[in-house]
Structure formats: C-alpha cells, structure tokens
Amino acid sequence: MRINKFILSLGLFLMCFFLFSQDKKVSHDFELEIGTEYRYFLDEGQFNGQKQHFPSLSIQPEYAIDWNDGEESLNAAAFFRLDVDDPRTHWDIRELYYQKSKDNWEFNVGLKKVFWGVIESSHLVDIINQTDAVESFDGEQKLGQPMAQFVLTTNKIGTFNFFYLPYHRKRTFSGEKGRFRFPIVIDKDDIGYESNAEEWHQDFAFRWSHYFGAFDIGVSHFYGTGREPLFMFDTTGNINAFYPIINQTGLDLQATHNAFLWKLESIYRNADAQDFLAFAAGLEYTFSNIDGNGLDIGLLGEYLYDERDELALNAFQNDVFFGSRIAFNDTQDTSILLGGIADLESSSKIFSIEASRRFGSSWTAEIETRLFSSIDTNEFILTNFKDDSFFKLSISRFF
C-alpha cells in the first residue's frame, strides 16, 4: 500500500508541475494496447494447487506530452493484468517521469525503466529496475523504479549517467495456483531487508559508456538494496530470505566486426552474505539479405558462469547457450528467436521459441514456448520448475 501512495503522490506532483510550467505549445501522444494471453503447461504441477491453463487479459496505456520545443516532457506508461493466479493479477506504473533536455545534458525524475546489457540469454549488469517475476520467465519485464537521473553526454569522453534511487520495490512470486514457484508459496511481504531502513534505504548508481571505433563499452556501479532476494533453506525446507545491501560493479562490452558481434557482460558483487563473480560472453554472426529477399539469419553462441552456487536465484552457473535469430524484414515485421541452454556439469537443458508477427495495422500475435529437459535433481532452482514446460499465445490490439 505504501508504494501505491508513493506513486500517487509522485504522479500528482508531476501533473501539478506540468500545469504550472506549461506556457507554450504542447504536443500529445497516446497509445493503448489491449491483449489476451493463454498459457498452457504441458504437465501437471508437482506442487498442490498448481493449474495447467492460464487465460489472462492485459491493458497497457502509454501517454507522452512535451512542450518548450520538445525540451520538456511528461511520460507515462501503465500495465494491468488479470490472471487465474492471484499474484499475477497485478498493476504497475511502468513509467511516470518528467524529463528536461538541454544541449548535452538530460534530467529525469519519477518512475522510469532503464536497461543495461548486450547478452541475449542473461542480463547480468541490468540492476536498476526490479524484475516483474510473475509476468515473464526470462526476467525481461521490469517494474517502474522511482529515481532521479542526470545524464551528461560528451563527444570525447563518453556519456555519464548518475542515479539516485530513493525506494526499493519487492519482487512478486507466483501464488498457489501459479507455476515457476517453490514448494512453499512465497508472499513478497514475508521477505525482509538487511537494512533497518527497509525499502527506504537510499541507493545510488553510476554508469559511464563510450565507443572506440568498433567497440562499445559500459562501466557501472550500484550501491544499495539488491534487486534479488537471497534464499536459504534449512533442513526442514523452511525458507529464510531477505534483500541484502550490495555493491555491484559491472562491465558490458560489444565489438562489431563485419557480420560479427562479440559480446561480454561481467559483474562483481560484494555483500556481507556473499561475494561473487559472474560473466557471460558470446558472439553473433548474421547472414544478411539471403537470396536478396530481405531475410536475415543470425547465429548466436554464449557462455554463462556464476560463482554463487546455492545462493543464486538463477540457474545459469556453468552453461552454454546456442540460438538463431530470424528476421524476415517484411511489412508484417515477422521474427523468430530459437534457443537452447545446456548445463555443462549436468544433463539439464532449456529450449525456447519466441515468434511475433503483425496483422494489419493494429494487431500483433506472439508465441512463446519453454521446454525443460532432463533437469538434474541437484539443480537448486530448476528442480522446482522441471514440470513447468509451457506454450503461450498472445494477441494484442493497438489503438
């Protein structure tokens, strides 16, 4: 409830600021996406209460208004989903922020989404926003993060991003009916904090990015409450979980050479409960305009390493990823992503298919499939998901 009051207060402040400051011509942009989704899990759940069929409805409005010749703007994006699993029925203000741009600097205040990273199969350096864990298995969807952000861009020494993050948002986990959960249903409110300030611990982050010829590089540091809770299980199966205070230094690097993209992400995280190194490295080669019909086929290969072992809230500790990205470059914007991750120390494998296509001028269809194969019983995370292979169909209409 506290975050809802915080978001409402911030929204009222930004609206009042806009009404007070507008004295010139303004321009508006509004878009609404209404979607239906159906997820079908191929096997019965291994835990009591889990269902196989999950129909749902989503609504995503976006609104932007700018004035002062585009130097100032107010941007908003919301999300709501109605689902069979109670925790997956949720709403969020993805973005609601004021932006001021001038020459080589930019200032943002409000709720905003920021993405860092270059790797396809894992996003190690992406630390600013909390993951919307009930919305997607791969962690691609994020919650809006309250922040003040200052960006300074220079031609010679790169771009500097400074972040002040006054409020931490907890991760939501699936309920009794849902999939991708532990034997014990986790209520996000039962997970505490290492800091006595709890969600009001004041966090800070910094990122420098630049390019040198064919190289794009980013170096970042984050101090504050971690976005991932630490999970520890006792001998009776009870869970002790909390959000630690961390220092995380990250590096992301991408090099372009002809049709090759070479990629690297690496982090070192320090906390009282854990110090660890993790990195992901890979390459992508693209065959462009095959047979002159616009078809592009990219081949991807990545290696993932993580030192956390049993304290990790991910399954990628010594794994390889292979995939292919197919872009038809047609008027329907058809694309397909095929991939598979294999554990180098066990038999565990995950296969995935993602595809999308636009119909007409306002309809989009997407499919997603995840298959869990030969999951090793020693896998801390994946053992709980071994029966959660699924197929998902989404259809959206844009207004």
Side-chain angles (χ1 to χ4, degrees):
M1 183 63 69
R2 282 180 290 182
I3 184 60
N4 294 342
K5 293 180 179 178
F6 179 83
I7 292 174
L8 179 60
S9 300
L10 178 61
L12 291 175
F13 168 78
L14 292 175
M15 290 302 295
C16 291
F17 181 87
F18 162 69
L19 292 174
F20 176 78
S21 62
Q22 69 161 319
D23 56 359
K24 296 184 179 181
K25 183 180 179 180
V26 300
S27 62
H28 306 260
D29 185 32
F30 177 77
E31 184 176 276
L32 176 65
E33 178 184 352
I34 298 179
T36 59
E37 177 186 284
Y38 173 68
R39 293 189 302 160
Y40 171 67
F41 288 82
L42 308 185
D43 302 306
E44 292 185 359
Q46 61 176 312
F47 307 125
N48 292 334
Q50 289 185 308
K51 293 184 174 295
Q52 287 183 262
H53 303 271
F54 292 85
S56 68
L57 171 71
S58 65
I59 302 173
Q60 301 182 67
E62 295 185 11
Y63 176 71
I65 181 171
D66 65 74
W67 64 98
N68 194 14
D69 295 325
E71 292 185 356
E72 297 180 80
S73 65
L74 187 66
N75 306 273
F79 177 82
F80 170 77
R81 182 175 296 283
L82 178 64
D83 192 85
V84 173
D85 186 35
D86 290 341
R88 202 167 185 255
T89 295
H90 67 298
W91 69 275
D92 181 49
I93 303 296
R94 299 298 203 209
E95 294 191 308
L96 178 58
Y97 65 95
Y98 163 77
Q99 181 180 89
K100 170 70 174 181
S101 300
K102 188 74 173 180
D103 298 328
N104 66 332
W105 62 267
E106 176 185 298
F107 176 71
N108 302 285
V109 60
L111 286 97
K112 195 170 183 282
K113 290 199 299 182
V114 174
F115 175 78
W116 300 340
V118 294
I119 292 292
E120 179 68 41
S121 56
S122 179
H123 305 303
L124 292 172
V125 300
D126 194 32
I127 186 68
I128 295 296
N129 293 83
Q130 176 62 274
T131 297
D132 190 345
V134 295
E135 188 57 30
S136 64
F137 169 76
D138 56 14
E140 295 285 347
Q141 301 299 323
K142 301 290 184 176
L143 302 178
Q145 169 62 44
M147 69 173 69
Q149 176 193 18
F150 180 75
V151 184
L152 178 64
T153 302
T154 68
N155 292 327
K156 293 184 178 181
I157 58 176
T159 300
F160 300 85
N161 276 263
F162 302 89
F163 297 87
Y164 166 59
L165 312 168
Y167 189 89
H168 177 271
R169 303 193 64 186
K170 288 185 174 182
R171 185 175 298 196
T172 301
F173 297 89
S174 297
E176 182 179 7
K177 300 176 184 178
R179 296 302 189 103
F180 305 114
R181 71 170 177 88
F182 297 110
I184 300 174
V185 176
I186 299 175
D187 188 326
K188 69 176 183 178
D189 293 329
D190 292 335
I191 301 178
Y193 290 90
E194 179 181 356
S195 169
N196 292 331
E198 298 184 333
E199 65 266 40
W200 291 104
H201 184 275
Q202 306 302 284
D203 302 344
F204 300 90
F206 164 80
R207 183 172 188 264
W208 167 78
S209 60
H210 200 29
Y211 64 90
F212 302 92
F215 294 88
D216 292 280
I217 186 172
V219 177
S220 59
H221 187 80
F222 172 92
Y223 165 74
T225 303
R227 276 34 183 168
E228 295 176 291
L230 284 179
F231 283 87
M232 290 174 282
F233 293 81
D234 62 25
T235 56
T236 62
N238 293 321
I239 299 176
N240 177 30
F242 65 95
Y243 289 94
I245 299 298
I246 68 170
N247 276 282
Q248 175 175 304
T249 301
L251 167 69
D252 58 276
L253 177 66
Q254 179 170 286
T256 304
H257 178 66
N258 297 327
F260 280 98
L261 286 178
W262 302 85
K263 306 176 182 182
L264 171 70
E265 288 188 35
S266 179
I267 62 171
Y268 178 75
R269 185 179 299 176
N270 171 261
D272 288 343
Q274 61 175 189
D275 294 331
F276 73 90
L277 171 72
F279 70 86
L283 61 87
E284 179 175 353
Y285 183 86
T286 300
F287 298 92
S288 301
N289 196 23
I290 296 176
D291 293 333
N293 60 8
L295 177 67
D296 295 341
I297 298 180
L299 302 179
L300 302 94
E302 296 173 353
Y303 172 72
L304 304 98
Y305 175 78
D306 194 311
E307 289 183 334
R308 276 177 286 184
D309 197 27
E310 70 273 5
L311 289 179
L313 193 59
N314 71 66
F316 310 131
Q317 298 172 31
N318 187 19
D319 302 70
V320 291
F321 166 83
F322 293 102
S324 178
R325 191 196 321 273
I326 304 171
F328 290 83
N329 294 312
D330 54 3
T331 56
Q332 290 79 32
D333 196 24
T334 308
S335 64
I336 303 173
L337 177 63
L338 309 172
I341 295 178
D343 193 308
L344 295 178
E345 298 177 350
S346 73
S347 60
S348 300
K349 300 177 183 64
I350 306 175
F351 301 100
S352 64
I353 301 174
E354 299 176 48
S356 65
R357 181 180 175 88
R358 190 172 63 245
F359 295 90
S361 60
S362 57
W363 292 87
T364 298
E366 300 178 355
I367 62 171
E368 178 183 352
T369 298
R370 304 277 175 173
L371 300 176
F372 298 87
S373 175
S374 304
I375 301 302
D376 192 286
T377 55
N378 293 320
E379 289 278 6
F380 174 67
I381 296 297
L382 290 182
T383 299
N384 299 286
F385 305 157
K386 63 184 179 67
D387 295 329
D388 290 344
S389 297
F390 72 93
F391 169 82
K392 181 175 74 174
L393 171 65
S394 305
I395 299 177
S396 301
R397 171 72 190 276
F398 293 86
F399 298 89

